[in-house]
Amino acid sequence: MHKTKFIFVTGGVLSSLGKGLAAASIGAILKSRGLRVSVQKLDPYLNVDPGTMNPMQHGEVYVTDDGAETDLDLGHYERFLGTPTTRNNNYTAGRIYYQVIMKERRGEYLGGTVQVIPQVTDEIKAAILSVASPEVDVALVEIGGTVGDIESLPFLEAVRQLKKELGPFNSLNVHLTLVPYLSTSGEHKSKPTQHSVKELRSIGIQPEIILGRCDSTPLPADIKRKIALFCNVDEDAVFSAVNVKNIYEVPLRFYHEGVDQKIAILLQLPAQNPNLQPWIDLVEACSHSNGEVTIGIIGKYVELKESYKSLHEALAHGGLANRVAVNFRYINAEDLSEQNLNQQLKGLNGILVPGGFGTRGIDGKLLAISYARQNKVPFFGICLGMHCVVIEFARELAGIAGANSEEFDPASPDKVIYLMSSWYDHRTGKTQTRSHDSDLGGTMRLGSYPCKLTPGTIAHQAYQAEVIHERHRHRFEFNQAYMEKLKEHGLVFSGFSPDGALVEIVELQGHPWFLACQFHPEFKSQPMNPHPLFKDFIKAAKAHKPA
Ligand code: GLN
């Protein structure tokens, strides 16, 4: 095989049916058939990227190695496929339109009228084709939103054109819809699916495969037949996508339904049985834990788990590595006070302060850190969590009463965390500058950076490596003017940028496990390859007997 084949995944009836998971799962089975797979997400909203969107609305912002701020579905793709994504794996309508408008301003359209068809659709097609390469056998392209939305029309039109241009056996459309079950009449209803496919066909796209999302009962044969007849697809191309307890079961479910076999026929892929043993082992490991731990996550967006998606997964992976089930207790930092601290944090095996932006909830996070430090509860701080650790340590142990982050108090006399105006960027090989009034989108340290570990530390013990690479997304850094003073009082600096200018990890000795890092390790944890820091944090949590 040399030409990349495309599978376009669309969604019908309503949102949140799990297109991302469906795409990632199909990708995983195809990969286990020995194919090289890439997955791309196209988001129809007009933000240029999700970087500035509220996690409460959009869920977590996932960061790639090359520093793109992307949709959280890319996290699923990496976790299911085990291969890193890049900025080419996520395009929004905003980014597409931005590119078109920039071209228009530069005069690249040579005075022509710029229209949705063909200029915008051409830009979308170029974005889709950017994932094609001699190294990719099959590219899955997930179109965000629901068929029928005004926003997704240019994307679907681009897909229609591409399907035609790619020619037979080189592309197909998998349409994921909802097939509700009516308990009063005791039957599955196919009408919403029929309407959704009718809508797709009116745009000129005939789906080849229909995945009917249903609750725990698979679709009966007569309903599948009915959907096939009304939607003009093969009878053996309608599959059930049932609710599962554990998302890592989905590839196995799809395989048992025969999804990959049908795809292989339709795309003329080489006949090959998938090796799904690693997935069988994973699902087995998920259902056989030896005990449980409860981790308290002291955050701001506790109402919506999606805003901490990768973190949630990484903790679960840490549990898998230690054969324990991980229970999550999301605690709103704003609800914590000195009076209720013991009560609120009682019974936890570990405490974690995740990344975040802004001042809301900082006092509660500092209280939780003091509690974990004093009560020797395993503790993990990430990004903003590390900033809070440094502040708490400086105030409580090093006697710097006014210690703060420039982000929380720009007038603080002791900015132990500050905005570095100039720093060497190991990723681009250039010195970067940033000022206090540069625009918010452009001043973050984003993407993968090397970090040198100090031998004999918790970090070194976890990674068993001299140099590691982790992904960043932040504006503020540790202020090295305070390093000696904090060292004197016992703060251990265990990870630095290779030139020593940036502090990447701090930790405490004489504590079962207390570590905080400037980067976001959760983005690189995978179920088949749990992240070393999450593995060791959960190991310590497992050993901790809460009061
Ligand atoms: N708000 C902090 C900064 O910009 C931390 C960011 C984060 O936790 N991702 O540096």
Side-chain angles (χ1 to χ4, degrees):
M1 270 182 73
H2 42 274
K3 198 169 164 192
T4 304
K5 295 178 186 258
F6 284 86
I7 300 177
F8 300 106
V9 181
T10 53
V13 183
L14 42 86
S15 61
S16 302
L17 287 181
K19 282 195 302 294
L21 271 178
S25 301
I26 292 173
I29 322 178
L30 295 179
K31 188 182 170 194
S32 52
R33 289 175 74 111
L35 295 162
R36 295 160 307 164
V37 179
S38 177
V39 193
Q40 184 188 50
K41 172 90 189 271
L42 300 177
D43 280 306
Y45 54 74
L46 287 175
N47 304 64
V48 174
D49 63 42
T52 51
M53 288 165 88
N54 183 342
M56 279 299 284
Q57 263 186 37
H58 185 262
E60 150 189 289
V61 175
Y62 189 76
V63 181
T64 58
D65 276 340
D66 65 348
E69 297 179 277
T70 69
D71 187 79
L72 58 78
D73 274 331
L74 270 74
H76 288 311
Y77 306 161
E78 288 201 9
R79 289 187 285 270
F80 276 71
L81 293 170
T83 37
T85 52
T86 70
R87 62 181 65 248
N88 282 353
N89 294 82
N90 190 200
Y91 278 85
T92 68
R95 186 168 159 203
I96 297 283
Y97 278 91
Y98 187 73
Q99 285 170 195
V100 168
I101 289 167
M102 294 314 269
K103 280 189 183 170
E104 187 273 335
R105 293 289 82 187
R106 289 195 298 265
E108 288 182 30
Y109 295 113
L110 307 174
T113 310
V114 180
Q115 294 174 298
V116 172
I117 306 171
Q119 283 81 4
V120 170
T121 45
D122 280 353
E123 203 66 38
I124 296 173
K125 286 196 286 182
I128 294 173
L129 292 173
S130 72
V131 292
S133 87
E135 279 81 53
V136 177
D137 299 317
V138 180
L140 284 122
V141 180
E142 177 194 349
I143 323 288
T146 309
V147 168
D149 294 345
I150 291 175
E151 287 90 345
S152 50
L153 281 174
F155 288 95
L156 294 171
E157 168 59 16
V159 168
R160 181 195 70 76
Q161 293 176 20
L162 258 184
K163 278 189 83 180
K164 195 163 162 47
E165 288 163 25
L166 288 164
F169 308 117
N170 286 326
S171 78
L172 60 84
N173 170 225
V174 173
H175 191 55
L176 174 69
T177 72
L178 178 73
V179 186
Y181 179 78
L182 279 197
S183 52
T184 39
S185 57
E187 55 181 352
H188 286 91
K189 303 304 277 184
S190 67
K191 194 68 84 190
T193 300
Q194 293 179 38
H195 277 291
S196 176
V197 171
K198 195 169 154 207
E199 187 77 30
L200 251 185
R201 290 167 65 192
S202 75
I203 304 166
I205 299 176
Q206 167 64 57
E208 281 80 4
I209 289 182
I210 292 180
L211 292 178
R213 179 75 197 266
C214 41
D215 46 30
S216 47
T217 6
L219 302 179
D222 60 327
I223 274 288
K224 285 187 173 176
R225 259 196 307 275
K226 193 168 171 187
I227 291 175
L229 179 68
F230 280 91
C231 300
N232 195 31
V233 300
D234 296 341
E235 251 182 54
D236 62 355
V238 182
F239 301 102
S240 314
V242 293
N243 283 347
V244 285
K245 272 215 293 287
N246 171 2
I247 54 169
Y248 299 121
E249 275 178 47
V250 180
L252 296 174
R253 296 283 184 140
F254 281 5
Y255 167 72
H256 288 302
E257 282 273 314
V259 177
D260 62 307
Q261 266 156 289
K262 187 66 189 175
I263 290 175
I265 293 167
L266 292 170
L267 290 182
Q268 292 190 336
L269 300 173
Q272 172 84 45
N273 265 334
N275 172 16
L276 289 167
Q277 198 54 46
W279 290 94
I280 296 169
D281 295 344
L282 176 65
V283 171
E284 169 80 13
C286 292
S287 55
H288 287 97
S289 45
N290 226 330
E292 55 181 16
V293 294
T294 302
I295 304 298
I297 298 173
I298 320 297
K300 201 160 68 163
Y301 304 115
V302 289
E303 301 86 354
L304 188 68
K305 278 197 315 212
E306 295 287 285
S307 26
Y308 297 116
K309 189 81 202 165
S310 295
L311 183 67
H312 200 94
E313 292 300 309
L315 286 164
H317 304 157
L320 277 172
N322 289 286
R323 292 264 163 179
V324 283
V326 179
N327 305 320
F328 302 87
R329 197 192 297 168
Y330 281 93
I331 299 164
N332 192 338
E334 287 178 290
D335 294 342
L336 290 180
S337 66
E338 271 175 41
Q339 291 70 40
N340 68 16
L341 194 61
N342 287 340
Q343 185 56 32
Q344 289 259 9
L345 304 184
K346 211 167 75 189
L348 294 175
N349 299 89
I351 293 176
L352 190 147
V353 175
F357 291 82
T359 49
R360 194 153 62 80
I362 295 299
D363 291 341
K365 292 178 187 179
L366 294 174
L367 283 173
I369 291 167
S370 295
Y371 177 93
R373 182 171 58 72
Q374 288 162 0
N375 295 288
K376 305 235 182 294
V377 183
F379 175 84
F380 198 176
I382 294 176
C383 204
L384 182 115
M386 181 184 110
H387 297 175
C388 292
V389 161
V390 171
I391 295 167
E392 195 272 339
F393 189 93
R395 287 185 191 172
E396 306 299 327
L397 294 176
I400 312 172
N404 217 331
S405 162
E406 186 165 352
E407 179 179 18
F408 314 147
D409 178 12
S412 161
D414 286 297
K415 295 180 197 108
V416 287
I417 303 293
Y418 76 143
L419 191 81
M420 253 188 181
S421 52
S422 156
W423 48 283
Y424 180 74
D425 185 339
H426 285 270
R427 199 161 59 77
T428 59
K430 291 190 193 127
T431 297
Q432 300 277 3
T433 52
R434 49 187 166 198
S435 72
H436 291 84
D437 48 32
S438 28
D439 97 47
L440 281 188
T443 54
M444 283 214 262
R445 184 144 75 101
L446 282 167
S448 178
Y449 285 85
C451 165
K452 269 175 76 176
L453 302 178
T454 314
T457 57
I458 307 178
H460 189 255
Q461 163 79 22
Y463 283 98
Q464 302 281 323
E466 301 302 315
V467 178
I468 53 153
H469 290 83
E470 291 284 3
R471 298 183 193 170
H472 291 248
R473 179 174 184 249
H474 57 100
R475 202 165 279 120
F476 299 89
E477 312 278 351
F478 174 71
N479 184 348
Q480 293 219 21
Y482 292 90
M483 183 137 96
E484 279 316 308
K485 178 121 196 214
L486 299 186
K487 256 189 193 169
E488 275 165 31
H489 289 88
L491 190 63
V492 176
F493 293 85
S494 52
F496 292 89
S497 59
D499 63 359
L502 304 166
V503 167
E504 311 284 39
I505 313 177
V506 299
E507 54 186 72
L508 288 182
Q509 270 164 359
H511 187 286
W513 207 90
F514 190 108
L515 180 143
C517 52
Q518 182 58 85
F519 46 80
H520 288 270
E522 68 272 27
F523 293 142
K524 284 182 74 170
S525 186
Q526 291 167 5
M528 313 268 185
N529 194 8
H531 191 285
L533 291 179
F534 284 95
K535 202 161 141 183
D536 279 12
F537 172 56
I538 297 294
K539 187 174 170 195
K542 187 180 173 186
H544 177 72
K545 299 279 162 277

